Amino acid sequence: MIAVSAARWFLSATLPTGVIASQVRGRTRLRAAYAQDAWLIDGDWKAVLGLRAEQWDAWDGRTDFSASAGQAYAARRETALSPKAALSWQATADTLLKASVGRAVRMPTVAELYGATSSANSQYINDPLLRPEASWTAELSAEQDWGALQSRVTLFAETTRNALYAQTTFDAAANRNVSRVQNVGRIGTRGVEATLATADWL
């Protein structure tokens, strides 16, 4: 499977006389190819391997702060490989155990890269050098069929590097909200999830 997506973002504000007060623009494009295959092993075991390759481009980034002041940003290109692997075991006719690990990448959006905007009571601070966010996730789960009921318990752990994190703070001196997006070095998440489901109940 090959997927291609592109985005163009344009935002402008004008004064009543038609003079530009601010303008933000830029383009991004993501090309990706994904391959996956599954193997049945010994009847009770199943393995799945996959790989996603992607190339991301950003260009034509520009912020105009007024009709006479602006800043253009250099074009950028990033590439990433995201593997995945999963192994499942049909321990009994009613019990399935699964283990999986995989990587995912999120590229910055045009608004996050170039979207510097300002008004009387708010300001958005952009960062044209934002890095892609990359996450590794691992899961271990057990599924049980109880006839009319099905249960699942999953242990999961995720580590995200260069997480794209947005926050807003109030600047009392300027009397306005200031928003910005930035890369956070590392975010770790651990947890357990349990579900109980039924079909054709009543």
Side-chain angles (χ1 to χ4, degrees), residues 96-111:
L96 179 65
L97 304 178
K98 293 182 180 179
S100 63
V101 63
R103 182 176 190 258
V105 177
R106 181 175 91 77
M107 303 297 181
T109 66
V110 172

Side-chain angles (χ1 to χ4, degrees), residues 3-201:
V4 177
S5 62
R8 182 181 182 185
W9 198 76
F10 183 86
L11 174 65
S12 65
T14 58
L15 299 173
T17 58
V19 179
I20 291 177
S22 64
Q23 180 172 262
V24 176
R25 62 189 176 199
R27 298 186 183 191
T28 61
R29 177 177 60 215
L30 181 65
R31 297 185 178 102
Y34 182 76
Q36 178 175 295
D37 201 4
W39 294 273
L40 289 175
I41 309 169
D42 241 1
D44 296 329
W45 292 83
K46 182 180 179 180
V48 178
L49 294 177
L51 180 66
R52 175 184 172 91
E54 50 195 332
Q55 181 184 81
W56 172 83
D57 293 284
W59 74 101
D60 283 352
R62 182 176 176 84
T63 301
D64 291 310
F65 307 103
S66 68
S68 58
Q71 181 176 358
Y73 303 103
R76 291 181 53 191
R77 169 169 287 182
E78 301 281 348
T79 58
L81 293 175
S82 301
K84 67 170 288 187
L87 182 66
S88 60
W89 176 41
Q90 192 73 49
T92 70
D94 301 323
T95 304
L96 179 65
L97 304 178
K98 293 182 180 179
S100 63
V101 63
R103 182 176 190 258
V105 177
R106 181 175 91 77
M107 303 297 181
T109 66
V110 172
E112 291 167 339
L113 293 169
Y114 311 128
T117 56
S118 181
S119 66
N121 57 6
S122 67
Q123 180 182 11
Y124 180 83
I125 301 174
N126 67 309
D127 184 354
L129 301 179
L130 285 171
R131 306 298 300 167
E133 174 182 285
S135 300
W136 278 98
T137 303
E139 292 186 355
L140 182 63
S141 65
E143 299 178 11
Q144 182 69 36
D145 191 336
W146 306 92
L149 297 173
Q150 299 83 41
S151 64
R152 184 179 76 239
V153 177
T154 302
L155 301 175
F156 62 88
E158 182 177 81
T159 299
T160 302
R161 302 280 183 180
N162 293 321
L164 291 165
Y165 187 76
Q167 61 181 345
T168 300
T169 58
F170 180 72
D171 184 345
N175 192 32
R176 62 180 175 181
N177 292 316
V178 178
S179 302
R180 70 174 71 230
V181 62
Q182 59 190 353
N183 287 120
V184 175
R186 178 180 179 274
I187 295 178
T189 306
R190 309 286 185 272
V192 59
E193 179 184 70
T195 63
L196 186 65
T198 184
D200 298 327
W201 186 57

